[in-house]
Amino acid sequence: VCITSPTVYIGTEGTNGCPIGYTTMTAAKCQEVAGSYWLGTYSIGDAPRGCWRMDGVTYGYNEHPTGGTNPTYEPVCDVPFVVSTATPSSTPTATPKATATSTPSPVPVPTATPEPTPTPRPTVVGAVPTSTATGTRTRTRTRTHTRSATPTAAPVPVAQSTRSSHTTGESGTNTCPAGYTAMSAAECEAYAGTSWK
């Protein structure tokens, strides 16, 4: 249950008394409302009964039993305490705390299957082999050369000349030149060959 704070009600100029629902305040309350604009307490018949405000500025209190009206005076009334019957809003429901979810297990990463190592091809004699599995191209030339011994040419037999160095003397002479000797009959026949007579 709540109680609203009291307020004051300023009536209409030229009226006397408070409207229904409001009450005439005490002199002490009127002075409290006036503050530094308080004039004092009076008992006059041409001013509103109770607390009044003159010319919209200064305040005073009229103790006259009936009071009266004045075009420059406004009745100042007290507002009684009001019990609030408003239904309080429902208490908000507390938001449930979020339940911590378990951290999912990491998905295993599939292991890559290694590629099979290529089988090296057999090396053919005289052929260039294929590249190795490491990607480095190796050139290995294996050549098997069987050298047969080159036959040495048989020496051509040189026909031995059956003729010895000779010279023919000058016609009309009877002796051999110097350095030469007369050959025998057999040597002459061999030298003559088929021309022998």
Side-chain angles (χ1 to χ4, degrees):
V1 178
C2 301
I3 300 176
T4 59
S5 300
T7 59
V8 297
Y9 170 80
I10 307 298
T12 307
E13 291 178 340
T15 61
N16 183 22
C18 295
I20 297 174
Y22 299 92
T23 59
T24 301
M25 65 177 61
T26 63
K29 178 68 177 291
C30 183
Q31 185 176 355
E32 180 183 354
V33 173
S36 61
Y37 298 98
W38 174 249
L39 296 179
T41 301
Y42 303 91
S43 180
I44 50 179
D46 58 350
R49 183 173 58 89
C51 185
W52 46 260
R53 186 177 67 176
M54 183 178 65
D55 296 329
V57 179
T58 56
Y59 290 78
Y61 191 82
N62 188 10
E63 294 180 341
H64 193 275
T66 59
T69 59
N70 192 303
T72 60
Y73 288 77
E74 302 165 310
V76 179
C77 304
D78 195 6
V79 178
F81 291 104
V82 177
V83 178
S84 175
T85 58
T87 302
S89 58
S90 59
T91 304
T93 304
T95 304
K97 295 182 179 179
T99 303
T101 57
S102 59
T103 304
S105 301
V107 180
V109 179
T111 305
T113 305
E115 297 184 0
T117 304
T119 305
R121 298 182 182 179
T123 304
V124 180
V125 176
V128 179
T130 58
S131 61
T132 60
T134 58
T136 304
R137 192 175 184 84
T138 306
R139 286 180 174 271
T140 304
R141 289 183 178 272
T142 304
R143 293 181 180 274
T144 303
H145 297 282
T146 304
R147 290 196 176 192
S148 59
T150 304
T152 305
V156 179
V158 179
Q160 300 292 327
S161 175
T162 58
R163 295 183 182 184
S164 60
S165 299
H166 66 279
T167 184
T168 304
E170 295 182 4
S171 180
T173 61
N174 188 31
T175 59
C176 293
Y180 292 90
T181 60
M183 64 180 61
S184 65
E187 292 175 339
C188 183
E189 183 179 358
Y191 180 78
T194 57
S195 299
W196 176 257
K197 291 184 181 181

